[in-house]
Amino acid sequence: MSLTEARFHDLVDATQQTLEDVFDDSGLDIDLEISAGVLTVKFENGSQLIFSRQEPLRQLWLAAVSGGFHFDYDEESERWMCDKSEEQLGEMLERIVDQQAGVKLDFEGL
């Protein structure tokens, strides 16, 4: 069953808020910016993570140094899952943030 537009936006909003909270609580020297539904995380070393909603596809997209990733929401597990690797968003972010910023953050629940 496809997500409704309203449910999709609620899920992305909640996910972006969780991401903001994790990064705010991390103590890292980063800049967070939200504009037109796009969350950009800028690390001290100049690298970035960009989270954007793709409404027509009902996907959350992530752009990172290691590439671009597309996530579908899995209602059964209540998690965003990469459409290629089946990796959960939180697991992938733990690895990517460690690679880009050299720190381990806990993205449990994403």
Side-chain angles (χ1 to χ4, degrees):
M1 176 169 60
S2 182
L3 293 173
T4 65
E5 182 177 338
R7 173 106 169 107
F8 170 74
H9 285 294
D10 288 347
L11 289 166
V12 173
D13 290 344
T15 299
Q16 287 183 335
Q17 184 60 57
T18 299
L19 290 167
E20 285 184 74
D21 293 344
V22 169
F23 285 115
D24 281 342
D25 294 344
S26 72
L28 292 174
D29 185 14
I30 56 174
D31 291 321
L32 296 174
E33 179 183 313
I34 277 207
S35 177
V38 176
L39 172 64
T40 303
V41 180
K42 297 178 184 177
F43 295 104
E44 189 175 16
N45 64 11
S47 70
Q48 298 181 36
L49 298 176
I50 302 170
F51 300 89
S52 60
R53 63 186 78 210
Q54 298 300 315
E55 186 178 326
L57 301 172
R58 303 291 197 264
Q59 289 184 326
L60 177 64
W61 286 9
L62 166 62
V65 171
S66 56
F69 306 94
H70 304 164
F71 295 86
D72 294 305
Y73 190 76
D74 180 64
E75 291 282 3
E76 188 174 317
S77 67
E78 298 183 337
R79 299 281 189 269
W80 290 99
M81 306 294 287
C82 182
D83 67 352
K84 297 284 187 237
S85 69
E86 303 273 323
E87 188 174 9
Q88 290 180 4
L89 175 62
E91 293 171 352
M92 186 178 285
L93 282 175
E94 288 176 10
R95 179 172 41 78
I96 288 174
V97 169
D98 189 27
Q99 290 170 346
Q100 285 190 215
V103 295
K104 295 197 182 298
L105 296 180
D106 184 4
F107 292 94
E108 182 65 35
L110 286 180

